[in-house]
Amino acid sequence: NEASALEAGGAERAAQALEARRPRLSLNPRLAGKIAAADVIVYAPGTQHSSLFPSYMTPGLADAIAANLRAIKLLVTNIQTDAEISGSTAVDLIDRALHYLNLQGERAIPTPVLITHYLMNEPGRAEAAPYVPLGPVDSIEDPRLVRIGKRLVARPTAGGDRPQVDVAALIEDERNRWP
């Protein structure tokens, strides 16, 4: 059977066989057009390793985002931890997003053409759990473009005490700030 043949062929043969079966992906041309015309591109929070990061590796996605030099490109980090990001900081999530947008280090697209702004939550207390701690914000390439969530909390949501950030107002403020 095939499994036995792969096993008998060694690691290199198995790697070649797996590579031959790798699906050939490409960016949907309609999405490429939408990205090219976008005024705002939002990297939303979510399940990082099993959902978001793999999608960032879609061939052509980072190039399409980088080519749009007019858009605000806002990365919103997770507010609360989950099983995939336990122990991570908001800065770690940014670094990982860039790592995957750059195809796990195979490319080196400059950060400012991929992400222009960051929105992070400040837990506001020494014990951050269950919130994602900020991490070393000063290590971000241009920390002037970082917005800390506690300054942006507009009001509690109708369904509970989670803060609601007025992203539209944030974007409008940025547009007015940079002619």
Side-chain angles (χ1 to χ4, degrees):
N1 74 28
E2 185 179 16
S4 298
L6 285 175
E7 195 172 303
E12 187 174 326
R13 173 114 165 82
Q16 290 171 345
L18 289 173
E19 181 61 31
R21 289 183 173 184
R22 183 180 191 178
R24 303 295 171 222
L25 304 175
S26 62
L27 187 63
N28 183 310
R30 292 181 310 200
L31 178 58
K34 297 286 185 183
I35 291 171
D39 292 326
V40 178
I41 297 169
V42 177
Y43 300 92
T47 308
Q48 303 295 323
H49 294 281
S50 61
S51 179
L52 297 176
F53 294 157
S55 70
Y56 295 168
M57 294 178 58
T58 302
L61 177 65
D63 293 321
I65 292 169
N68 182 338
L69 300 176
R70 296 177 341 277
I72 290 175
K73 301 161 190 177
L74 175 66
L75 187 144
V76 182
T77 62
N78 289 41
I79 293 175
Q80 292 188 322
T81 61
D82 62 31
E84 291 191 356
I85 60 170
S86 179
S88 296
T89 67
V91 172
D92 293 336
L93 298 178
I94 292 166
D95 289 344
R96 298 313 297 162
L98 289 165
H99 175 75
Y100 287 103
L101 283 163
N102 277 297
L103 303 177
Q104 296 179 309
E106 290 180 18
R107 315 256 321 260
I109 299 173
T111 300
V113 296
L114 292 172
I115 303 170
T116 62
H117 295 76
Y118 308 87
L119 181 62
M120 297 181 270
N121 180 58
E122 167 57 66
R125 55 183 162 185
E127 174 54 43
Y131 300 103
V132 174
L134 286 174
V137 175
D138 57 343
S139 70
I140 293 175
E141 189 164 336
D142 188 350
R144 295 174 300 164
L145 302 177
V146 173
R147 301 295 179 263
I148 306 300
K150 72 179 184 179
R151 295 186 191 149
L152 299 171
V153 173
R155 61 190 176 279
T157 63
D161 62 352
R162 290 187 177 180
Q164 178 176 330
V165 176
D166 189 346
V167 174
L170 169 73
I171 291 168
E172 188 61 31
D173 179 55
E174 287 302 309
R175 287 195 182 287
N176 291 333
R177 200 194 267 212
W178 307 104

